[in-house]
């Protein structure tokens, strides 16, 4: 048994640290770069989704305000061709235009058809946004 040395407990203890099967510095740096890119992409997607949610909330509240005002306009029995603008407390500017529609086709009838166009405008950051609703209303022709 010459030339062969017996392993001691000390040899077993340090053999764990002598194993060269770990990651190199280059492999760790590449893994960190890939992880950093993935995290950045996830945060950008999250940020874009938050912006879209805020924008849809703006359009939703503008649509609710426009529909409420449109219903008030249509409930007016004395509705006639006219136009006006108003500003709400929410910061919306509402432009209403009521005009005669299809006059050639309804000229002989005891009713007339009015077109109602309601435009809601608002500012979001530095951009102007707007939303337009259109409908028709039939009213009695005044003789």
């Amino acid at each position: 048994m010459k030339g062969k040395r017996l392993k001691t407990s000390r040899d077993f203890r340090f053999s764990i640290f002598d194993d060269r099967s770990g990651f190199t510095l280059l492999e760790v740096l590449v893994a960190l770069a890939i992880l950093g890119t993935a995290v950045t992409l996830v945060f950008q997607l999250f940020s874009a989704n938050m912006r879209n949610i805020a924008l849809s909330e703006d359009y939703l509240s503008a649509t609710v305000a426009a529909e409420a005002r449109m219903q008030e306009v249509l409930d007016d029995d004395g509705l006639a061709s006219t136009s006006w603008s108003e500003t709400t407390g929410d910061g919306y500017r509402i432009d209403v235009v009521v005009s005669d529609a299809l006059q050639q086709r309804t000229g002989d009838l005891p009713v007339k058809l009015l077109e109602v166009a309601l435009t809601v405008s608002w500012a979001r950051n530095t951009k102007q946004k707007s939303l337009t609703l259109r409908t028709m209303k039939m009213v009695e022709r005044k003789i």
Side-chain angles (χ1 to χ4, degrees), residues 5-24:
R5 188 176 131 209
L6 293 174
K7 293 191 176 190
T8 63
S9 64
R10 182 172 180 224
D11 292 336
F12 285 113
R13 193 173 26 172
F14 290 114
S15 68
I16 296 171
F17 299 113
D18 289 340
D19 191 13
R20 300 285 179 184
S21 64
F23 296 109
T24 65

Side-chain angles (χ1 to χ4, degrees), residues 100-114 137-143:
D100 289 331
L102 303 173
Q103 291 177 355
Q104 297 166 345
R105 299 184 92 180
T106 60
D108 300 340
L109 300 174
V111 294
K112 67 178 180 176
L113 194 61
L114 297 176
K137 181 176 181 178
M138 189 169 24
V139 297
E140 290 186 26
R141 188 178 299 277
K142 295 179 182 173
I143 301 175

Side-chain angles (χ1 to χ4, degrees), residues 68-82:
R69 188 63 180 118
M70 177 69 85
Q71 193 59 47
E72 291 174 9
V73 170
L74 293 175
D75 287 344
D76 183 11
D77 291 333
L79 191 62
S81 296
T82 185

Side-chain angles (χ1 to χ4, degrees), residues 15-72:
S15 68
I16 296 171
F17 299 113
D18 289 340
D19 191 13
R20 300 285 179 184
S21 64
F23 296 109
T24 65
L25 180 60
L26 181 61
E27 290 171 332
V28 170
L29 290 176
V30 168
L32 285 175
I34 293 171
L35 180 66
T37 303
V39 168
T40 301
L41 289 174
V42 167
F43 281 139
Q44 285 178 349
L45 290 173
F46 182 72
S47 174
N49 285 338
M50 293 303 289
R51 281 192 302 269
N52 288 337
I53 288 171
L55 184 63
S56 67
E57 285 177 0
D58 289 345
Y59 274 102
L60 180 63
S61 61
T63 301
V64 168
E67 287 178 343
R69 188 63 180 118
M70 177 69 85
Q71 193 59 47
E72 291 174 9

